[in-house]
Amino acid sequence: MNQTRTKPGVYPWAMAGAIALAILGCSLSLNGVMRGWTWFMPVATVVMILSCVLALTRTLRFSPLLTSLSAFVALALTLTSIFFRQHSILGLIPTAETFTEVGRLLSRAGSTVVNENAPVVPNAGIVLVTCTVLGLMVILVDALAVPLAMPATSGLALIAILVVPAMLKPLGVGWLGFIAGSCGYLLILAVGQWFAPKAAMEAESPRASGHFGRASAAAAAALVLTLAVPLAIPGFTEGAFPQGSRLAQWGKPNGLNPMISLGSSLRSPSGGGQITYATDSASPLYLRSTTIDSFSGDTWGPDDRNSSRRTSLESIDPPVYQAGLEISQSLTSINTGNFVSPYLPAPYPPSKVSGLRGDWTWDPETLTAKGQGTNTENQRYLVESTAPKITAAHLNTASTENRDLPAIFTQLPSGIPAVVSRTAETLGRSASTPFAKALAIQNFLRGPEFSYSLDAPVQGGYDGTGLDVLGEFLTKKSGYCVHFSSAMAVMARLLGIPSRIAVGYAPGRLTGNKVTLSGQDPFAEYAVDARDAHAWPELYFEGVGWVPFEPTPSRGVVPDYTVGASASASTNQDENNDGLINDPRPTTTASAATPVPSTTPTVAAGAPSQKTDPSTWLIAIGVFLAAVLLALTPRLVRERRRSRRLRGPADELADASALSAALAISAWHELEDLGHDFGIPRAAHETPRVYSGRLRGSGLLGDGSNIDAPAHRAVQAINQDFERATYGRVSTLDGLSNTEANRAQTVRETLLTHVPLGVRWRAQWLPPSTFAHWAAVLRHPVNAARSYWRR
């Protein structure tokens, strides 16, 4: 008679819904890593489609391997439809043009994660990577929860999603994502415990209430463990995991780096990455590390001009100044300590740097020094610098035109927000000279309408320097130096003035030590750290060079040439350390200990990093997924073989005797593999009867003297049915179709109970029978494949 099959019922759909809820719930925490919610719809589409495909294939009783393959195909088709519709066949099938476009978007994503701080602009590249990673997470969580029957371990994949916002967002994961993800995880546990599907997903049966209690206990333990992790693992900051904790960078402080932002560190400054210096200048100097001159519209970024860099820092060509400018010189000794950066802090403009270890180059356009395979850690060096004494009179007569100046300093992207263009036009309308226009911008931004705030950018969702952020900043009129400097640089370019953003440190504070320079009398030593980091705009004037301005209100030191140039100019000489770096002799000295705003979106200060490059975490997640799938491969293959055998042959075997014979043979092969997995492989010379007797006498099935034990009787019955199916009359096997799977399962459960822990672990995760079949495939691939699919 035909084998009775029960439909899978609601189990596949219930589990798929739970997985979708868990993944989408955790993905809510990515708001703040990416700006706004435009990225969520593509993510939800991918997750929901994959969940439906997984549920549908199980409803149609696909094998576990084919189910997973179907999900991968669905992921590829869905991503093609969303991101590459115009570069594919029928909007679904990838072509060579599709893969070219994939490379372009991945390059754009890489540029974003390297050059922009969180929250990043959700461009197509970033959203593609996010959809791909979360789609793979759906497949991984499904594999853990269903074919491997380990729903509790699916929490590891969910935690991997939460790690990214925990590392990057200033306010942590957030309660919304944590609670939604936790609810999804609890639902996965509940579905896995409440339903008891057979190995082949053939039937479902409600579990007893005791299983629900165990599920509740497991969920409570998982929740307690998650909340306790920050207290148990070094590297977490204080606070509860969802809201307050972020992993700190392991190892030494990571210094000012134009690839990483320091916005989150400024909100809880630690004062790390200390640099000390002594100078013969009459006033403490500003240390300048690099410049940010390329503006794509999404973010400001550095252009290192590697092809034109020069190698000798012993002779750096100074800028060419107009006649009549008085030039001052200074000598500065710098000790970088544990500050780590590829860019060298130095007073601007340097004319000579000596005493450095390693290979260093300098950019003729910006005079910034960069290490080639080396960095600033524990460097001690001398810097000779020269700077003109600039006056308002010089600037009022200076032009901003220079045919030799690279176009990068004047370029602007399309799509400038109307509020930015309108503001720049209004400010420049009444100004007669470029310097007057620059003063108008600085005075406007330092005026009473604007306020300095480290929190407003995060609360308003515009912690960055892209065009959309700039428009939001000019509307809300609250931000910190990253917003003020980028606003002035963009508006200056709109008014025809070349601009760039400088990044470095304000003067700092006295240490109380004295340092001797070149045999001179000892000079006072100063220290700077993360609290002194700052970004400010520099505007170009012919014959004077790059001139620094200070548009950030209540921060920094306003240069002399802007104070006396206009009655409306700000005379606010603040006591904070976030100052104008490029002014070699500021009018007032900054006092110590005030935490200051810092950096452009491409900069990090010398504090222990509380943000890791997102590309690092994408790579880490990919490695994690690959390692998990690699580790699960033997068990997945073994489960697939067991599922196929115990499910029986296809329905087209209508003859009951033939069906029973096939089941008996499959059960015997399963018994052989079970013995092999648990340490009792069948020898080549052993008959089925001899092998079954050895298995029953091994002691692995319980008391060997109790021949009436269920496992003993199951082994004996499987052996007898196999012998009759192989050597006897097929008709004698009528009615066995409902018993063979139960007998094999009885033997397996008994073996799991009576073998040592090591043997049990090897049998489940590294089954020797699977490796034996793989070895057979390598020796005789055609015969092994034919036998594999037959068995």
Side-chain angles (χ1 to χ4, degrees), residues 401-485:
E401 296 182 0
N402 185 329
R403 295 181 180 180
D404 297 328
L405 196 68
I408 192 173
F409 297 111
T410 57
Q411 288 175 344
L412 282 170
S414 59
I416 301 290
V419 63
V420 181
S421 302
R422 186 170 58 251
T423 302
E425 181 182 358
T426 301
L427 293 174
R429 187 178 301 148
S430 59
S432 58
T433 66
F435 178 56
K437 295 177 181 179
L439 276 179
I441 299 173
Q442 174 181 282
N443 295 339
F444 170 71
L445 294 174
R446 292 187 66 90
E449 293 184 3
F450 285 85
S451 63
Y452 176 85
S453 173
L454 286 172
D455 296 325
V458 175
Q459 296 171 354
Y462 61 99
D463 194 13
T465 57
L467 287 175
D468 57 336
V469 175
L470 184 55
E472 191 75 11
F473 163 69
L474 290 179
T475 300
K476 296 187 176 181
K477 295 182 172 55
S478 180
Y480 56 102
C481 65
V482 60
H483 304 99
F484 288 95
S485 59

Side-chain angles (χ1 to χ4, degrees), residues 359-425:
D359 296 329
W360 293 82
T361 62
W362 60 280
D363 178 11
E365 293 294 340
T366 63
L367 306 186
T368 57
K370 182 181 179 183
Q372 305 298 307
T374 188
N375 57 45
T376 60
E377 184 177 20
N378 294 322
Q379 295 273 7
R380 293 174 178 266
Y381 52 97
L382 285 174
V383 180
E384 297 179 16
S385 55
T386 59
K389 293 185 176 180
I390 304 172
T391 66
H394 293 127
L395 296 175
N396 271 320
T397 58
S399 168
T400 57
E401 296 182 0
N402 185 329
R403 295 181 180 180
D404 297 328
L405 196 68
I408 192 173
F409 297 111
T410 57
Q411 288 175 344
L412 282 170
S414 59
I416 301 290
V419 63
V420 181
S421 302
R422 186 170 58 251
T423 302
E425 181 182 358

Side-chain angles (χ1 to χ4, degrees), residues 42-99:
V43 166
T45 301
V46 170
V47 171
M48 295 305 297
I49 288 178
L50 289 184
S51 300
C52 290
V53 168
L54 290 167
L56 181 61
T57 52
R58 289 204 170 89
T59 300
L60 298 176
R61 295 196 286 269
F62 282 25
S63 67
L65 180 60
L66 190 56
T67 295
S68 296
L69 289 177
S70 299
F72 280 109
V73 172
L75 176 60
L77 296 179
T78 304
L79 293 176
T80 301
S81 177
I82 294 175
F83 297 97
F84 312 107
R85 188 185 302 272
Q86 297 178 349
H87 306 279
S88 59
I89 300 174
L90 300 177
L92 286 174
I93 304 174
T95 63
E97 187 180 0
T98 305
F99 292 104

Side-chain angles (χ1 to χ4, degrees), residues 522-709:
F523 293 96
E525 183 185 63
Y526 297 84
V528 297
D529 54 40
R531 297 168 296 180
D532 306 296
H534 189 42
W536 66 98
E538 293 179 340
L539 277 56
Y540 181 81
F541 293 87
E542 181 69 19
V544 183
W546 289 100
V547 177
F549 289 81
E550 183 52 82
T552 307
S554 73
R555 289 294 184 272
V557 177
V558 180
D560 287 340
Y561 46 81
T562 65
V563 173
S566 170
S568 60
S570 172
T571 58
N572 188 5
Q573 308 270 339
D574 303 294
E575 296 128 357
N576 295 285
N577 295 323
D578 197 21
L580 182 63
I581 298 182
N582 203 20
D583 180 11
R585 296 181 185 276
T587 56
T588 46
T589 302
S591 68
T594 302
V596 283
S598 147
T599 90
T600 66
T602 56
V603 179
S609 175
Q610 297 189 10
K611 176 178 184 284
T612 301
D613 188 344
S615 62
T616 302
W617 287 104
L618 292 177
I619 294 173
I621 291 174
V623 172
F624 169 76
L625 290 173
V628 170
L629 291 175
L630 181 63
L632 295 180
T633 297
R635 178 163 181 165
L636 285 172
V637 173
R638 181 68 179 91
E639 292 291 345
R640 189 262 172 199
R641 288 175 63 84
R642 178 182 298 112
S643 171
R644 185 177 179 84
R645 286 167 174 167
L646 300 185
R647 184 171 64 243
D651 289 333
E652 55 264 22
L653 288 179
D655 182 76
S657 297
L659 180 61
S660 297
L663 285 169
I665 294 173
S666 294
W668 172 256
H669 290 317
E670 176 62 21
L671 183 66
E672 284 183 314
D673 281 355
L674 281 173
H676 195 173
D677 293 340
F678 286 92
I680 309 177
R682 178 188 173 189
H685 63 275
E686 283 185 306
T687 64
R689 184 170 299 181
V690 171
Y691 177 64
S692 66
R694 184 160 68 89
L695 185 61
R696 286 184 286 126
S698 65
L700 298 183
L701 300 177
D703 186 1
S705 62
N706 183 10
I707 60 175
D708 292 328

